[in-house]
């Protein structure tokens, strides 16, 4: 597996543990629809939370959350809509981004709740 894929998987594992410690109930990880993927879908305080995890090894090229482009948001919303319809979930849904910088054994996490609002 490429080094950037390993970094991404490590970031997702950190994000998952963070969410569990915060009381989130994980519904599914790495859920796919066509070519789209949602990193984590969870429940928290009677809300469905769709989480995109972005991991980098440095701040050199900007913050990881800046990589969640308008196009990426569109794909996340489309995939989340399908997921919710397939499972007949009617709860309010929120889109979060977890941004992680990993440098060796040290890491820094930024959880952005309501990072964006769904538009198709």
């Amino acid at each position: 597996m490429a080094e950037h894929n390993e970094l991404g998987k490590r970031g997702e594992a950190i994000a998952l543990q963070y969410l569990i410690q915060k009381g989130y109930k994980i519904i599914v990880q790495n859920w796919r629809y066509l070519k789209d993927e949602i990193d984590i879908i969870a429940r928290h305080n009677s809300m469905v939370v769709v989480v995109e995890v972005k991991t980098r090894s440095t701040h050199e090229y900007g913050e990881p959350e800046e990589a969640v482009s308008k196009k990426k948001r569109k794909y996340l919303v489309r995939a989340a809509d399908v997921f919710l319809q397939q499972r007949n979930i009617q709860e309010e849904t929120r889109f979060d981004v977890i941004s992680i910088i990993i440098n060796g054994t040290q890491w820094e996490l930024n959880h952005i709740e309501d990072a964006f609002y769904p538009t198709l």
Side-chain angles (χ1 to χ4, degrees):
M1 186 178 288
E3 189 174 324
H4 71 278
N5 289 340
E6 289 292 332
L7 184 69
K9 292 295 179 194
R10 192 166 160 212
E12 285 182 23
I14 290 169
L16 187 66
Q17 287 303 340
Y18 165 84
L19 291 170
I20 290 168
Q21 289 174 351
K22 293 291 184 183
Y24 287 71
K25 304 296 181 211
I26 306 305
I27 300 171
V28 68
Q29 290 178 258
N30 304 113
W31 189 82
R32 290 189 168 279
Y33 169 69
L34 301 175
K35 293 187 293 183
D36 306 335
E37 180 181 17
I38 299 174
D39 294 328
I40 301 169
I41 302 174
R43 278 199 171 84
H44 190 249
N45 296 333
S46 71
M47 184 176 287
V48 174
V49 184
V50 175
V51 182
E52 174 67 9
V53 181
K54 286 295 178 191
T55 309
R56 300 288 182 268
S57 59
T58 178
H59 291 280
E60 187 174 341
Y61 299 105
E63 299 303 316
E65 64 268 19
E66 293 170 3
V68 184
S69 66
K70 185 176 181 178
K71 184 176 181 179
K72 177 65 176 176
R73 292 190 303 264
K74 178 181 172 184
Y75 293 150
L76 285 168
V77 169
R78 177 176 65 186
D81 187 50
V82 170
F83 177 85
L84 296 169
Q85 285 183 31
Q86 283 181 350
R87 298 190 183 204
N88 197 29
I89 296 173
Q90 303 294 321
E91 296 161 83
E92 189 174 346
T93 303
R94 181 179 88 206
F95 292 84
D96 292 3
V97 173
I98 294 182
S99 165
I100 301 174
I101 299 288
I102 299 176
N103 189 344
T105 60
Q106 302 292 317
W107 51 269
E108 150 190 348
L109 182 147
N110 182 22
H111 182 185
I112 305 161
E113 295 183 8
D114 279 324
F116 63 91
Y117 297 97
T119 56
L120 289 174

